[in-house]
Amino acid sequence: MSRSNRREAGRRRLAMRLPKIRKLIMEARDPWQLELFEAYQIAVEAREALRGQSSHAHQVREYDETCSEIEQDLIRTMSEPSRGQISSG
């Protein structure tokens, strides 16, 4: 998957996971946010590749935590008035 495809897949996945800020996610153009979308997709892909393998349960939990941290970062930054205005403009 190309970098831009990975970013857009991450964006769509996050928009589904975070409906309260879905509009801001879909309008985001800030390079930092685009990097988070890509990182989220990479973490999800890695987690899914390891899921179901008992020998990798710890790594799956780590990827779950990473995904959760990215979600929380987006909620926090996109909820800030100045960040929301920058990302949607």
Side-chain angles (χ1 to χ4, degrees):
M1 183 179 286
S2 74
R3 184 174 196 176
S4 63
N5 288 346
R6 199 172 271 125
R7 284 180 178 174
E8 290 308 306
R11 179 195 304 266
R12 289 189 305 272
R13 190 178 297 270
L14 282 160
M16 294 298 292
R17 291 277 303 151
L18 306 171
K20 289 183 179 181
I21 60 169
R22 180 176 295 147
K23 185 174 192 251
L24 291 174
I25 290 170
M26 296 310 292
E27 294 173 351
R29 299 291 178 258
D30 186 294
W32 177 82
Q33 292 166 332
L34 298 177
E35 291 294 324
L36 279 181
F37 299 159
E38 182 179 7
Y40 189 81
Q41 184 64 25
I42 290 168
V44 167
E45 290 172 3
R47 179 185 65 192
E48 295 307 312
L50 296 172
R51 192 175 297 259
Q53 301 175 24
S54 60
S55 61
H56 296 290
H58 179 73
Q59 287 176 299
V60 170
R61 281 191 304 276
E62 287 179 358
Y63 282 117
D64 282 337
E65 289 174 18
T66 298
C67 289
S68 180
E69 289 170 5
I70 292 170
E71 290 170 10
Q72 294 307 309
D73 282 347
L74 278 171
I75 290 168
R76 185 176 55 256
T77 60
M78 289 188 154
S79 297
E80 295 172 359
S82 62
R83 182 59 109 179
Q85 290 171 0
I86 291 169
S87 65
S88 64

